Amino acid sequence: MIIFFSDKKKVNLKDVGGKGLNLIHMIQAGLPVPKGFVVTTEAYTTFIKENNLEEKIHTLIKDLSADDMMGLEDAFQKIENLFQEAKIPSNIHEHLNSAYGRLDSLAVAVRSSATAEDLPEMSFAGQHDTYLNIIGEKEILEKIKSCWLSLWNPRAISYRLRQGVPQGDDQLGIAVVVQEMAVSEKAGVMFGANPLNNRRDQILINASWGLGESVVSGIVTPDQFVIDKSSKDVIESKIGSKEVQIIQQKQGIKKEKVPQERQKISSLNEIEIEKLYNMSETVENYYGEPMDIEWVIGNEEAYLVQARPITGLFPLAESYESPNEKGLQLYLSFNRIAQQVSEPFTAMGLEIMRLEMWGVLAMMGINLGKYPRAFKVAAGRVHFDLTPLLRNPKVWPKISGNLAKKDPIAGKVLMEFLEKNKEEITSVKSKIKLPPKFFYFVFKFAKKAIGAMLQPDQAEKRSVDLAKKHIHEIEKAREKAHSNQEKIRLIEDKMKSAMEVIVLQCAYFTPGTQAEERVSNKLEKWFGSNEMLAPVIRALPNNPTTRMGLQLVKMAYDLKSKKQTPDPKDPMFQKFLEEFGHRSNMELDVGIPRWKEEPDYIINILKNYIEQDPEGLQMRLLEHKEEAEKATLAIVEKVKDEKGKFRAWKIKKDLQYMRKLLGLREQPKFDLIKSFALFREILLEIGEDLVTKGRIEKASDVFFIKFSDILKEKGSLVETVNRYKAECEKQKQIKTIPRFIINTGECLYGSTEASDGDGLQGVPISSGEYTGIVRVVHDPRNAVLKKGEILVTHSTDPTWTPLFISAGALVMETGGPISHGGIVAREYGIPAVSGIEELNKKLSTGDEVTVNGNSGEVILKKNIKDDK
Ligand SMILES: Nc1ncnc2c1ncn2[C@@H]1O[C@H](COP(=O)(O)OP(=O)(O)O)[C@@H](O)[C@H]1O
Ligand SMILES: [Mg+2]
């Protein structure tokens, strides 16, 4: 019932609670912790049992919900009354008396230590009671009872409900730490990593006068120090206002004003900072990770009074091969910048992405193996190590300029970081040497691009054929692959060749993008604006994504005129799936079911179109085509009139390239996903096999293991599957992901500056202006967008296109002019703005806004929250 910190017994969370457990561990690690003991959860359960409180409490709380403050308060009052009448069993009295007698000081701290506290995912900080400077057995017992009661205070119940911690479970208990009071001239907290910027090579200390209660409860602005771990230098120190302090009185504590002169001086000197630093280092070494610590200093001694994992740090990047990298490394978030998908990948999804990187590099003749070190995973998302490319500052503008096309803020953030760390980044010379194979590849690419220029009408067929041939090769190889090992080999091989295909397919539209740049620059130069170009790139032919949108609208129109509802078995629908069923939302993750497996999203879209006006939608799309032709002619005429025949002829040629080739931009990914769909089928076959061998429970669990697990040939993988599934769920909780992460742990999110008033400043990606009602969409699968509503979301990919068609405008957190969202918005002539951070906090469904796709501004006209 009582365990002394120094007992050297093996203890567990269930008996001593989170706070108690960590204190005992810290003593074992040799750290100075004030002497004390834990009154275990058994004491609490005995108390509850002997007073018959279990049923009563259960009845009081069973129907409560997390935000029912009145109900929670009421239940707590009633439980408090029950506790007041209840008696503490006499054997607890006896145990406590003898333990208290063994302490050296009369004054103790009585501190709650719940079993669901100080855990990696849940801090439960400040949910339960703590009483400082308590003297005498009777008082201590009373405070122990108060700590027990605090298990049921409204905020604790509400927190548990929100976090899904069971209330009636026998896992839920509360222990109480009784511990000598340390002399506390100053106290505070210390983080073994800097939670403000996520850096693991820094320590952050908050300190103030008196007892630490003032810092942890947030009633003062404490002093703040940032320490660099390797040099131990204080690299930042800020003196807080520290107006009040909490000090001991005869029994208990009181709050008082801090004398003026002490408010202004630092509460810690260098020696003390070093002591704390050393403490943090020992704690981190013991746990193998940086921790959140509460400390106390008095009489020149530093004490540790609590240690818990730091919650909320963005995870560090891991390499598939454990790296020994020296110096700063910068990793680009593929999820955020390249693909604009914020969700984490499944374990198998990551495997395929790893092979994708291997394939791209191998194609250029850079052989980093199947486990390229530059492939980094953090929080289940894919990152690429850009550092080797950044050693030479001359290439910075080019790299950041290219990034900016996808994501303008990323370009800016990258440049800022590089300038700030120029010395360190450029101190190493780049070792990248391009092998002859690379130049051979460039030659192959150029040949195809020139071909597209000479015969633009052939470009689509060539691009499509290239991919078709590859798919055919996969199918042929599939017939020969029987064992799981052979199947994995097949996926590896064909992933590699798929990368070559996708890059070569890009050659076919390259003359189009080059022409676009030329025309755009010229129009800008001659007429001061390139706005007249916008209609030209609408309704581009040869674009599989627009074709998909048009087919859906046609299907909706057809169904509506026949008064039918969408049905997956309908031959028309089946035909649609034949062409587009390999796609899905989050399609780059092989772990995600394809539309042909789960057509709900498409059915939903159809229903939505039918309710709108499919004929109107279809007309609008067809009109775009006419407008594009008219706009092309108009530009040529204008140039001819004002700049002469020759220039007009050149512009005309470029405009033709644009019309004929730009639509092919969507082709490579569209075809790549076909390979992915095949890989998915093959993986599911492997899954079936693993099920028959009893290694996993269902075939689709194969997406929660890795190739190496399959190749081990025997042993149950159920636990591995569950672990990866849990990991995936956990990572999904992280909603905003950084654009770059640094190997120090630092995260570069990047954000646009907030403009004054009700305007949000973003980056313009598709011109035009539109005022309408906002619809915030997180998941396109069950979104319904009414005609003309403004789609507000973190980012979009081509599979969102069907939603776009009926949107009035688009506002996104991420995605530049050549992101899919940008391309498609321009094609449909929908004004679009991107690059506004934390949109879902700034705009809500129902708000009325004006989206200005020329200036990048989004102006709030009517805030739905004001109406409430
Ligand atoms: N034994 C002790 N001696 C001196 N101060 C203490 C002691 N125990 C706790 N404190 C002070 O009280 C603060 C809050 O106590 P704690 O039990 O950790 O409450 P919480 O769970 O709300 O953080 C600690 O951060 C520390 O500053
Ligand atoms: Mg604490």
Side-chain angles (χ1 to χ4, degrees):
M1 210 167 270
I2 282 185
I3 295 176
F4 265 84
F5 295 168
S6 52
D7 274 354
K8 301 218 169 77
K9 263 198 211 152
K10 225 178 118 48
V11 281
N12 58 47
L13 182 73
K14 200 169 172 277
D15 298 326
V16 296
K19 193 178 281 169
L21 185 71
N22 285 319
L23 284 177
I24 291 169
H25 284 158
M26 289 297 84
I27 295 243
Q28 286 166 0
L31 282 151
V33 176
K35 203 167 154 184
F37 54 84
V38 184
V39 181
T40 62
T41 51
E42 190 195 344
Y44 170 76
T45 8
T46 315
F47 166 77
I48 295 288
K49 266 209 192 94
E50 296 208 348
N51 290 287
N52 291 319
L53 295 177
E54 197 168 349
E55 251 328 290
K56 291 178 191 154
I57 295 175
H58 179 70
T59 322
L60 283 171
I61 63 154
K62 68 175 194 302
D63 297 325
L64 292 175
S65 65
D67 48 8
D68 174 12
M69 271 350 250
M70 296 269 278
L72 290 165
E73 192 59 54
D74 186 53
F76 177 61
Q77 294 279 322
K78 290 187 175 130
I79 299 175
E80 188 174 16
N81 291 340
L82 291 173
F83 270 52
Q84 250 154 24
E85 282 158 33
K87 292 242 156 15
I88 296 183
S90 57
N91 63 338
I92 300 183
H93 276 255
E94 286 153 26
H95 284 300
L96 179 85
N97 285 352
S98 91
Y100 182 42
R102 281 171 61 191
L103 296 182
D104 297 328
S105 105
L106 283 179
V108 295
V110 181
R111 315 170 63 196
S112 301
S113 174
T115 50
E117 175 175 284
D118 290 5
L119 308 177
E121 279 85 35
M122 287 180 282
S123 68
F124 263 84
Q127 299 297 319
H128 307 115
D129 290 357
T130 278
Y131 300 90
L132 299 177
N133 193 33
I134 305 304
I135 301 166
E137 286 139 21
K138 200 168 136 269
E139 280 75 14
I140 297 173
L141 266 176
E142 197 184 295
K143 296 305 184 211
I144 291 177
K145 207 172 170 189
S146 301
C147 284
W148 289 344
L149 174 65
S150 72
L151 189 61
W152 303 106
N153 74 38
R155 59 178 192 278
I157 302 181
S158 164
Y159 190 95
R160 285 195 297 266
L161 282 171
R162 237 173 285 135
Q163 299 278 346
V165 178
Q167 309 272 1
D169 192 352
D170 65 345
Q171 296 292 317
L172 181 69
I174 186 159
V176 180
V177 166
V178 178
Q179 176 181 40
E180 289 176 5
M181 282 301 289
V183 179
S184 181
E185 291 161 2
K186 43 193 99 173
V189 294
M190 169 163 64
F191 295 88
N194 186 345
L196 304 176
N197 57 14
N198 218 52
R199 285 181 74 149
R200 314 302 158 106
D201 58 344
Q202 295 178 348
I203 284 176
L204 181 98
I205 300 176
N206 278 146
S208 196
W209 301 115
L211 288 161
E213 189 68 30
S214 62
V215 178
V216 295
S217 65
I219 59 167
V220 291
T221 309
D223 296 335
Q224 181 161 301
F225 308 91
V226 177
I227 296 127
D228 175 65
K229 281 188 189 171
S230 56
S231 66
K232 299 194 186 181
D233 290 338
V234 178
I235 50 176
E236 214 182 291
S237 70
K238 261 197 256 161
I239 304 298
S241 52
K242 315 189 284 290
E243 278 138 358
V244 288
Q245 60 184 349
I246 291 173
I247 55 159
Q248 303 188 8
Q249 51 182 2
K250 218 155 134 210
Q251 167 94 253
I253 51 175
K254 65 171 183 195
K255 190 162 93 180
E256 62 166 35
K257 237 181 115 77
V258 174
Q260 278 286 334
E261 65 282 4
R262 277 167 72 81
Q263 291 182 19
K264 296 199 178 67
I265 56 171
S266 168
S267 54
L268 288 179
N269 60 38
E270 272 175 30
I271 300 170
E272 291 164 335
I273 289 179
E274 193 178 333
K275 266 192 188 146
L276 291 178
Y277 170 88
N278 291 335
M279 188 187 272
S280 172
E281 197 173 36
T282 316
V283 176
E284 181 168 346
N285 287 340
Y286 179 86
Y287 284 101
E289 61 175 312
M291 300 284 279
D292 168 352
I293 292 166
E294 288 171 25
W295 55 268
V296 167
I297 291 181
N299 291 340
E300 299 187 354
E301 291 293 333
Y303 291 98
L304 184 150
V305 291
Q306 193 168 345
R308 63 160 83 99
I310 304 178
T311 45
L313 285 181
F314 191 83
L316 282 175
E318 285 168 42
S319 175
Y320 262 61
E321 193 190 71
S322 119
N324 243 337
E325 286 151 346
K326 292 212 173 63
L328 281 182
Q329 314 275 326
L330 178 124
Y331 311 137
L332 166 128
S333 170
F334 173 81
N335 281 61
R336 172 117 200 218
I337 297 181
Q339 284 305 320
Q340 283 102 28
V341 282
S342 66
E343 289 91 343
F345 280 79
T346 57
M348 194 50 87
L350 288 170
E351 289 281 77
I352 299 290
M353 295 313 290
R354 162 176 68 79
L355 293 173
E356 186 171 323
M357 181 168 194
W358 165 59
V360 174
L361 292 168
M363 167 188 80
M364 298 194 296
I366 301 172
N367 198 358
L368 295 185
K370 286 179 205 165
Y371 295 84
R373 240 173 58 175
F375 181 83
K376 310 276 177 188
V377 176
R381 278 86 170 178
V382 173
H383 297 78
F384 294 148
D385 183 1
L386 284 192
T387 331
L389 301 175
L390 297 169
R391 297 299 186 196
N392 177 1
K394 282 198 198 117
V395 302
W396 294 355
K398 187 147 182 96
I399 291 181
S400 88
N402 275 332
L403 278 182
K405 285 188 199 155
K406 276 247 166 197
D407 176 2
I409 296 170
K412 201 174 114 214
V413 174
L414 177 67
M415 272 318 258
E416 278 166 13
F417 178 83
L418 291 171
E419 291 296 349
K420 208 168 100 195
N421 298 287
K422 189 164 186 170
E423 206 176 313
E424 174 142 20
I425 298 277
T426 55
S427 64
V428 179
K429 286 278 156 286
S430 173
K431 278 183 288 207
I432 301 181
K433 273 209 196 71
L434 293 169
K437 190 163 174 207
F438 175 73
F439 298 97
Y440 171 65
F441 187 78
V442 171
F443 173 72
K444 233 163 124 180
F445 188 94
K447 214 172 108 187
K448 293 205 160 27
I450 292 168
M453 266 171 95
L454 296 175
Q455 293 170 298
D457 293 321
Q458 296 297 315
E460 191 214 17
K461 187 175 179 316
R462 287 179 185 159
S463 176
V464 170
D465 283 351
L466 195 65
K468 251 192 203 151
K469 198 172 133 228
H470 185 250
I471 293 291
H472 184 66
E473 278 164 16
I474 299 181
E475 274 159 351
K476 246 177 31 208
R478 193 174 167 185
E479 283 163 20
K480 286 191 219 121
H482 302 297
S483 68
N484 291 343
Q485 196 175 354
E486 283 162 353
K487 287 175 184 168
I488 291 174
R489 266 301 289 278
L490 181 160
I491 293 176
E492 285 176 345
D493 275 2
K494 297 304 172 203
M495 192 64 225
K496 194 168 158 188
S497 42
M499 291 330 288
E500 188 160 333
V501 171
I502 190 176
V503 176
L504 287 178
Q505 278 183 294
C506 294
Y508 295 111
F509 64 76
T510 303
T513 52
Q514 285 168 343
E516 186 181 19
E517 223 174 290
R518 276 194 301 269
V519 175
S520 166
N521 288 341
K522 279 195 187 130
L523 294 182
E524 186 101 36
K525 200 172 114 197
W526 293 337
F527 311 120
S529 148
N530 56 17
E531 237 169 79
M532 61 201 109
L533 206 52
V536 176
I537 45 179
R538 271 178 216 157
L540 290 167
N542 305 336
N543 179 335
T545 302
T546 350
R547 196 165 62 237
M548 177 173 86
L550 195 61
Q551 283 204 17
L552 278 172
V553 174
K554 270 192 193 143
M555 196 157 34
Y557 174 63
D558 205 63
L559 287 168
K560 189 168 186 167
S561 44
K562 287 197 238 153
K563 296 207 166 49
Q564 285 175 350
T565 45
D567 174 5
K569 286 189 229 69
D570 187 339
M572 195 167 49
F573 194 88
Q574 286 297 323
K575 207 172 151 270
F576 175 85
L577 288 184
E578 246 167 63
E579 193 173 357
F580 302 103
H582 62 285
R583 312 202 80 170
S584 79
N585 310 91
M586 271 291 286
E587 58 193 358
L588 276 181
D589 185 347
V590 271
I592 304 294
R594 309 286 119 173
W595 286 340
K596 62 183 169 198
E597 298 167 72
E598 289 180 4
D600 291 4
Y601 170 67
I602 298 297
I603 296 277
N604 243 339
I605 293 274
L606 282 174
K607 281 187 188 153
N608 192 11
Y609 286 173
I610 291 173
E611 267 169 42
Q612 298 177 16
D613 161 27
E615 194 177 5
L617 280 174
Q618 197 176 345
M619 289 304 285
R620 189 170 138 195
L621 295 179
L622 294 175
E623 272 165 24
H624 282 163
K625 211 171 156 190
E626 272 172 44
E627 282 165 19
E629 276 152 23
K630 272 193 215 140
T632 309
L633 277 179
I635 293 175
V636 175
E637 282 306 310
K638 191 173 164 76
V639 176
K640 196 159 136 197
D641 286 350
E642 297 181 30
K643 298 287 161 190
K645 262 191 185 157
F646 179 65
R647 281 173 174 155
W649 175 78
K650 271 181 38 185
I651 287 280
K652 188 175 171 191
K653 207 154 173 58
D654 275 346
L655 288 171
Q656 277 169 352
Y657 283 140
M658 285 170 60
R659 289 291 303 164
K660 285 181 181 163
L661 301 178
L662 279 182
L664 292 175
R665 235 180 335 206
E666 292 285 316
Q667 194 69 42
K669 191 182 169 202
F670 179 79
D671 285 328
L672 176 70
I673 298 303
K674 283 188 185 153
S675 313
F676 275 42
L678 281 176
F679 296 157
R680 187 176 155 86
E681 282 176 21
I682 297 170
L683 285 164
L684 281 168
E685 272 172 30
I686 297 180
E688 296 290 356
D689 175 66
L690 296 179
V691 172
T692 36
K693 289 182 179 141
R695 298 185 66 199
I696 58 178
E697 282 165 352
K698 53 182 196 296
S700 60
D701 285 348
V702 75
F703 299 111
F704 294 94
I705 50 176
K706 297 196 163 171
F707 287 144
S708 54
D709 297 316
I710 300 170
L711 293 174
K712 263 181 241 143
E713 294 294 346
K714 46 178 176 299
S716 166
L717 292 169
V718 174
E719 223 168 90
T720 315
V721 169
N722 290 340
R723 203 176 61 237
Y724 277 122
K725 276 187 183 167
E727 173 72 13
C728 208
E729 277 312 307
K730 188 175 140 200
Q731 302 305 353
K732 265 190 201 154
Q733 302 307 314
I734 304 179
K735 298 281 186 229
T736 307
I737 53 172
R739 291 185 157 88
F740 300 93
I741 52 181
I742 314 300
N743 59 339
T744 58
E746 186 176 6
C747 293
L748 310 180
Y749 288 91
S751 55
T752 38
E753 268 128 61
S755 54
D756 312 331
D758 290 334
L760 305 171
Q761 185 63 55
V763 182
I765 57 173
S766 173
S767 61
E769 198 179 292
Y770 182 83
T771 302
I773 304 295
V774 164
R775 163 93 39 197
V776 179
V777 174
H778 298 290
D779 183 348
R781 278 167 291 197
N782 33 39
V784 178
L785 201 71
K786 294 207 192 93
K787 191 176 172 187
E789 279 183 331
I790 296 173
L791 176 60
V792 171
T793 181
H794 63 87
S795 61
T796 62
D797 71 22
T799 58
W800 286 60
T801 312
L803 272 176
F804 274 40
I805 300 181
S806 53
L810 168 70
V811 184
M812 308 189 286
E813 278 187 13
T814 343
I818 65 154
S819 67
H820 294 289
I823 293 174
V824 177
R826 285 198 302 280
E827 273 209 39
Y828 287 149
I830 299 167
V833 168
S834 103
I836 302 175
E837 283 311 287
E838 305 202 298
L839 261 178
N840 57 345
K841 287 194 193 143
K842 294 172 183 158
L843 295 178
S844 323
T845 297
D847 286 348
E848 189 183 331
V849 299
T850 297
V851 179
N852 187 331
N854 310 317
S855 68
E857 245 185 322
V858 176
I859 294 157
L860 197 57
K861 293 261 152 135
K862 207 161 130 218
N863 194 332
I864 189 103
K865 282 179 198 134
D866 293 344
D867 295 350
K868 283 185 187 156

